[in-house]
Amino acid sequence: KRRTAEPYKIKAVEPLNILTREERQKALEKSGYNTFLLDSEDVYIDLLTDSGTNAMSDQQWGALMVGDEAYAGSKSWYKLEKAVREVYGYKYVLPTHQGRGAENLLSQLKVKEGDYVPGNMYFTTTRAHQELNGGTFVDVVIDEAHDPDVEVDFKGNVDLNKLKTLIAEVGAESIPYVCVAVTVNMAGGQPVSMDNLRETYDLCQKHGIDVMYDATRCVENAYFIKEREQGYQNMPIKDILLEMFSYSDGCTMSGKKDALVNIGGFLAMNDEELYTRSRELVVVYEGMPSYGGMAGRDMEAMAKGIYESIDDHYIEHRIQQVRYLGEQLMDAGIPMVRPVGGHAVYLDAKAFLDHLDREQYPAQALAAALYLDSGVRAMERGIVSAGRNKETGENNIPKLEMVRLTIPRRVYTNNHMDVVADSVIELYRKRHQIKGLKMDYEPPTLRFFNARFSPK
Ligand SMILES: CC1=C(O)/C(=C\N=C(/C)C(=O)O)C(COP(=O)(O)O)=CN1
């Protein structure tokens, strides 16, 4: 098979700062062994997140110059609205500054005290907004999603029996909508199959329950359907995407991922009554329905980014690059979530550092060790991120204790992936020298952003 390359060439570069190990040790101590508290200038390869860290194209940069900054009726807004309607297929669109802006509106509009919001695994901000409005998140993802070693094609699928059970238990009137994430971030960027989307939608329609997608990485999901699901191999991504969205009533979207921008998002739906109510609420939290927390230039860039994201060559390279890193690690026997997801490689820190117990924060310790070894910044997605149980105050102990190596879109080359792989493989060889951490400062909420640690 002939090798392929990026479907783009580089026109501008950002020189990277390469620190010595001693300088990295100092930076690590200054950050309290918390990669969130590292300064970007001290980071060599930044794999903290794929959110907002993507590279824009010359077309997007050029579009900034024609941003219409009118307060109402901006020309740039109409371009964004048109792009969402064409690519996602919804009738109505509200702009928001980013995904959680849309989650705030949706939860305020649809969730009431005592409601249950089922979803295929939780996401931090999504669940936070549902709970802030009195809702209880209920996990209805298939069991396999919680097991890093199980190789399933569509590990993000909804377990229809779990959903049926919940509907029978609490009644459809207590379920304002089902939140279907495409792909599932916390399971390792795992996709949902078209069949499962269709079956979930049919079940919900029978009970008069809406299905709202978390569409953040929907183009990546479409690529997995093209690659793995019978009948989609020859279908262009844009058509797979339209079919996916036809099995939903609306979505929240963080443009900072699959729409290839550094800021932006939207809430979309087909229901006119919900649209009318959201047009009023958007003014309170985001601004006019014709700019929603974005400048005109941001809307221009996102309109272009939406069309660029459905280019078949672009998305194929994007997924293959993540897989290129993942397969090197799998071949080296590194414990990690399988199969490799759409936007990241998730290291199984519990298995990697099997000499540490959970209260020594294995994922935090591994992320710190990785930065010290190579200047690569990753994100802890384990016991620290899971926080404490609201009632008991005890640490939530999630099954998955992961370090997420998140690959920004169109930013790094495969040479950078090789540097990351070499560092992880070297660390694995010396893994029993990696010490656990103790938490010296614990913030009251969302502790993973600001907690401070030291070696124990
Ligand atoms: C699945 C999902 C996300 O992954 C998400 C944000 N994710 C971040 C920041 C991440 O690092 O994964 C958000 C929030 O989007 P926002 O960061 O507010 O544009 C919603 N859904």
Side-chain angles (χ1 to χ4, degrees), residues 25-44:
Q25 176 59 41
K26 275 206 206 74
L28 198 55
E29 285 161 8
K30 193 167 73 117
S31 72
Y33 287 75
N34 183 346
T35 54
F36 275 100
L37 299 178
L38 285 167
D39 289 332
S40 165
E41 66 176 1
D42 294 334
V43 173
Y44 176 40

Side-chain angles (χ1 to χ4, degrees), residues 274-452:
L274 180 63
Y275 174 58
T276 308
R277 288 197 296 130
S278 49
R279 272 180 72 84
E280 283 145 31
L281 199 60
V282 73
V283 179
V284 176
Y285 289 97
E286 302 287 324
M288 293 296 280
S290 58
Y291 74 81
M294 288 181 273
R297 54 182 174 271
D298 294 322
M299 296 193 283
E300 290 281 342
M302 192 149 91
K304 292 268 186 211
I306 287 172
Y307 289 116
E308 290 181 10
S309 70
I310 54 175
D311 175 86
D312 290 281
H313 296 293
Y314 149 73
I315 190 61
E316 178 177 21
H317 172 267
R318 190 298 185 273
I319 299 286
Q320 295 303 339
Q321 182 170 57
V322 179
R323 199 170 290 169
Y324 172 78
L325 172 60
E327 282 172 353
Q328 287 191 62
L329 300 180
M330 260 195 272
D331 293 349
I334 305 295
M336 53 188 275
V337 173
R338 313 158 83 104
V340 178
H343 66 297
V345 173
Y346 289 68
L347 305 179
D348 179 351
K350 198 161 48 141
F352 199 113
L353 301 177
D354 55 4
H355 61 293
L356 300 183
D357 65 40
R358 299 298 291 274
E359 309 291 333
Q360 290 179 284
Y361 310 112
Q364 197 76 32
L366 182 53
L370 179 64
Y371 170 74
L372 181 57
D373 181 74
S374 56
V376 171
R377 172 158 69 167
M379 187 189 279
E380 192 271 1
R381 292 278 79 161
I383 184 170
V384 176
S385 297
R388 289 182 180 276
N389 180 296
K390 274 189 300 190
E391 274 72 49
T392 66
E394 288 301 306
N395 275 322
N396 290 319
I397 313 271
K399 255 199 90 178
L400 295 171
E401 176 80 10
M402 306 179 287
V403 168
R404 187 182 72 174
L405 304 170
T406 338
I407 316 300
R409 296 166 186 76
R410 307 193 297 195
V411 171
Y412 294 110
T413 69
N414 285 354
N415 296 328
H416 293 106
M417 300 300 112
D418 294 342
V419 167
V420 176
D422 290 354
S423 178
V424 172
I425 292 166
E426 175 62 9
L427 280 179
Y428 191 61
R429 205 176 54 73
K430 300 186 304 189
R431 61 190 180 281
H432 293 123
Q433 295 167 24
I434 298 173
K435 288 193 181 60
L437 296 174
K438 63 180 171 44
M439 202 186 293
D440 299 328
Y441 165 63
E442 176 169 4
T445 57
L446 292 178
R447 62 184 182 181
F448 56 94
F449 282 121
N450 293 306
R452 300 182 71 81

